[in-house]
Amino acid sequence: MGQQSWIITDVESGVNVEQLELTRREIKRAPASFQVSKQTLRGGLQDGVDLLTVNNGKVSVDILPTRGMSLWQASIDGDRIGWRSPVRGPVHPKFVDLGEPSGLGWLDGFDELMVRCGLESNGAPEFDDKGILVYPLHGRIGNRPAQHVSVHVDDDEGMILVRGVVEETRFHFLKLRLVTELRTRFGETAIHIHDRVENISASPATVQMLYHTNFGLPLLDAGAQLVAPVKAVAPRNDHAAEGISNWCSYSAPEAGFEEQVYFLELLADEDKATRMMLKNAHGTRGVSLQYNTSTLPCFTVWKNTTAGEDGCVTGLEPGTNYPNPRSFEGEQGRVAELEAGGHVDFEFGIAFQQTADEVQGVEQVIQELQGDHVPTVYDAPRSGWNPDEVSG
Amino acid sequence: MGQQSWIITDVESGVNVEQLELTRREIKRAPASFQVSKQTLRGGLQDGVDLLTVNNGKVSVDILPTRGMSLWQASIDGDRIGWRSPVRGPVHPKFVDLGEPSGLGWLDGFDELMVRCGLESNGAPEFDDKGILVYPLHGRIGNRPAQHVSVHVDDDEGMILVRGVVEETRFHFLKLRLVTELRTRFGETAIHIHDRVENISASPATVQMLYHTNFGLPLLDAGAQLVAPVKAVAPRNDHAAEGISNWCSYSAPEAGFEEQVYFLELLADEDKATRMMLKNAHGTRGVSLQYNTSTLPCFTVWKNTTAGEDGCVTGLEPGTNYPNPRSFEGEQGRVAELEAGGHVDFEFGIAFQQTADEVQGVEQVIQELQGDHVPTVYDAPRSGWNPDEVSG
Amino acid sequence: MGQQSWIITDVESGVNVEQLELTRREIKRAPASFQVSKQTLRGGLQDGVDLLTVNNGKVSVDILPTRGMSLWQASIDGDRIGWRSPVRGPVHPKFVDLGEPSGLGWLDGFDELMVRCGLESNGAPEFDDKGILVYPLHGRIGNRPAQHVSVHVDDDEGMILVRGVVEETRFHFLKLRLVTELRTRFGETAIHIHDRVENISASPATVQMLYHTNFGLPLLDAGAQLVAPVKAVAPRNDHAAEGISNWCSYSAPEAGFEEQVYFLELLADEDKATRMMLKNAHGTRGVSLQYNTSTLPCFTVWKNTTAGEDGCVTGLEPGTNYPNPRSFEGEQGRVAELEAGGHVDFEFGIAFQQTADEVQGVEQVIQELQGDHVPTVYDAPRSGWNPDEVSG
């Protein structure tokens, strides 16, 4: 059959498909549990959210066109991967007030496995010297609906591709376009994302991107560990500094736990590719991120092992920057600079390890990236990685 | 037939019924004008608002799942009860900007017979010392859509029950759930609400609730009166103090009338139940509220007899607190304190008096609650009931 | 057949027609390409926007009930008139945060041929002395959905009328109603708008209105010119003052071009009617505005010949006022004062010149309005037309 395509949304040509359901009827050589389906959720906070589910026969992933092509949830052989947010989403952006003076409205919609933060800014909200909000927490792209969504399946190659276009534009200000492609093969235990951020203005622009990737129970059990090829790691603030000796291991959920954040630089191979993994206490399950450090040089670990009711979760966050206020990061040059009409590409993938052998296999790869390099561990916030008000 | 149930919305299980219409076909023993119907309104400011109408054969009440299970309007034997707001709603929350820096966005959606104010806060907007909004007017619960709505009818008992679940959660902050049950019997001239607010966090929380219940013309005619078992009453500010001698009676609508607000403590029986009534000038019609003062110790009367065009209305408002800024009320302890996983219950009902006899009957009950108690009438704002900036 | 009417939306009576399509089947004497159609757009930023297209056989115009009855686009004999905004709309108001503390959220939805600015305020955002937003850029009316929309076609008269009602009300604050009527005859190369703004409060109100009418390429080519009967013209600020000698002619699009704004007073005939035109460099095409200066005494020209990608456009803006912050304009008396129940009428029309002859014809009319009057050209911001902080 070769490649077949289905356009789900295309505002330019006025296309919007209310429902789509592809199975082995349409894709003859697909695995038994293959599925591509699109629906619009109704009722409550999810009213009007488009949900696109892709099951490659092994891994199923829910994509949210209405929320900037975020990944809502995933499962492997039916086991749910991700976390359980106290926010019962997915939440339609109409119920998320990014412009709330606190700058924290973004939190009202936060329940995804992976949500992009950007594109003008991400990180902590920033205020001017009068206290007026300038940049809201984590930016706007995760609450912008896709202007184009399409699915492409190649029966011969056994490849599923989901394409989305999300615009973050404001007249007189930045005009940015995210073109995202998610690929996964039939039966593969991984998904691969290629994102291009285009500056569609005739003037230059600077851009930020952070892949806020989140995992909770049961993977994140007491004793779960991060395995990563570390060049340097530093605590975000004094509270995180207290836990620096255990920065890569997780304790049991604890009510009222105050989040600890660590900023890292990871080692990579000659092609700038790197890999890191979160594995459970017994090393029998893991999830690993693969990404390219040439455009995502920063890596942030967010430890939030509060009670399950409150959202026990860790965030693994490759980015152009650390999630500090936008101006500070800009001063440090931690932005992507785009000329008029220019673009920047980001490579990002998630793979799932389902056995102790697979976990060890990934550990081996990470160990090779580490090689003889001795990680630099800062026991206090690192100058240049932290704005003064945080490190003080 | 016993009890039958219909789920209208349940986001957890993906249920959302676009239209429902129950009549005597489904409920054999129901009165002639019995009706339960659900529709989604379309067009204008009401676009997307779910409207659930329950008619017990005598009283018809419109419930708004999309606006926190508010009661929009009611009628008895076809006569409309309530008021006419200059806001022509019901207004979908997507058109209400709670986070507007003024803190007054809530007013854009205000046209209900009864809207709950809370749960994190209610009352006047509160700003920090830089003038930045911290708590918007009357809180968020009235503009949050229900995650679950169901209707249960027991043909044998002649009972209609509407159940709704509305969540007010923010990651890192409060996680609260309102479970509301509205009950009314076939042919009854009253509705009864049992609300439970649950703290679904593993950390303690404080909660506010206020039942903003509003009546206008024709009931609120010149000479209409409040009848209540009063322990104490005080004006909110100097302007209200000027009208303290007439605090319980109403004048004719007057363009430009500046609102007057009175804070009260009501007497109650041994079970902490109390009752108060608004009756028209001739005492031929009335509407009375019943509620339990153990969890709703405060009562506020809002007199806003401006011109009909501008919303001539009085608000009768049992609450955990007076509608002062959140921090002030918190300092006075006027919040419900919930431990992790804890809850608080609220009992609230509205009954309609349709004849002079019925009005006198309720007056009798209220008089018994009053007994020999002499009301304390403060002729100036009362210390501890008013923040300094208001009482000054 | 006489006049036939179709109600599309009427919230009062619960009417909302999802789709409408009128052709020569319904209107026998209509021109071949006659069309009146209504649809609701789906997907992306336009999700839920109602689009009403009226084609009189010559001119086609898209009306956006969901965005305050704005005119989105127009075409004449299939040639698109208007401009291309970097915002790919039409954008549903749920994605436009007017209350964002910057006051600039309006820009996220700005892509119309003509959008009304008002009714409480228009112009630059205004902040209090703490920096808190008081009036957002260009006000609220352009992001309020119509509560009533109807279409009326008179086959005998060859007349199409579109009626819309949009309310801008806030409890305790202004209660305003815009009743707009758009008329166009079969085959006419013009559209005519009669707007009435009603004060539906029992207290007086002041109102602002500005018709933000926008044109870009291909009409706005290098050498395009404004032709207008000028009494006086002044630059808004020092940057505009630098270009005062060329205020009425346009250069080629230029990346990074900083907008220049000119404030004008136009001459009018005895009935206070005036006319002005934008013509292309060769004078072969033009678009002209007709309006009544008795209620629209101010005229603003916004030159924004930035690169096409960023929205090369000029705004021609008849108004009750200049688009300065609300309080400044109020102090100058540039508002419409409405008594309780009062109203103000605005006449506004757009006509399209398709040949050099037609362009010259309009120039002739404008020349007659100019007569012997010598325009006063201020080479610096004019006192009373500019707030100090701008003119300084």
Side-chain angles (χ1 to χ4, degrees), chain C residues 83 137 161 169 236 248 268 280 285 292 324 366:
Chain C
W83 63 300
L137 175 68
L161 163 63
T169 56
R236 185 182 65 161
C248 62
N280 66 5
R285 294 271 169 122
N292 196 291
N324 293 311
I366 293 169

Side-chain angles (χ1 to χ4, degrees), chain A residues 7-8 141 184 213:
Chain A
I7 294 177
I8 291 173
I141 196 69
T184 191
T213 319

Side-chain angles (χ1 to χ4, degrees), chain A residues 169-182:
Chain A
T169 56
R170 172 167 287 187
F171 195 84
H172 278 322
F173 294 88
L174 290 190
K175 290 104 189 176
L176 301 172
R177 179 184 292 146
L178 165 68
V179 180
T180 176
E181 294 186 342
L182 179 149

Side-chain angles (χ1 to χ4, degrees), chain B residues 152-215:
Chain B
H152 313 265
V153 183
D154 190 317
D155 211 350
D156 301 331
E157 302 286 331
M159 176 67 82
I160 309 167
L161 163 64
V162 175
R163 197 161 181 279
V165 178
V166 190
E167 293 180 356
E168 182 181 315
T169 57
R170 173 167 287 187
F171 195 85
H172 279 321
F173 295 88
L174 290 191
K175 289 105 190 174
L176 301 171
R177 179 184 291 147
L178 166 68
V179 180
T180 176
E181 294 186 341
L182 180 149
R183 281 184 178 77
T184 192
R185 285 180 182 283
F186 293 170
E188 192 181 18
T189 57
I191 56 175
H192 311 276
I193 289 174
H194 175 95
D195 284 351
R196 173 165 290 186
V197 175
E198 302 172 358
N199 175 18
I200 55 176
S201 167
S203 294
T206 56
V207 163
Q208 292 192 324
M209 173 68 98
L210 182 145
Y211 292 86
H212 208 301
T213 319
N214 310 294
F215 302 98

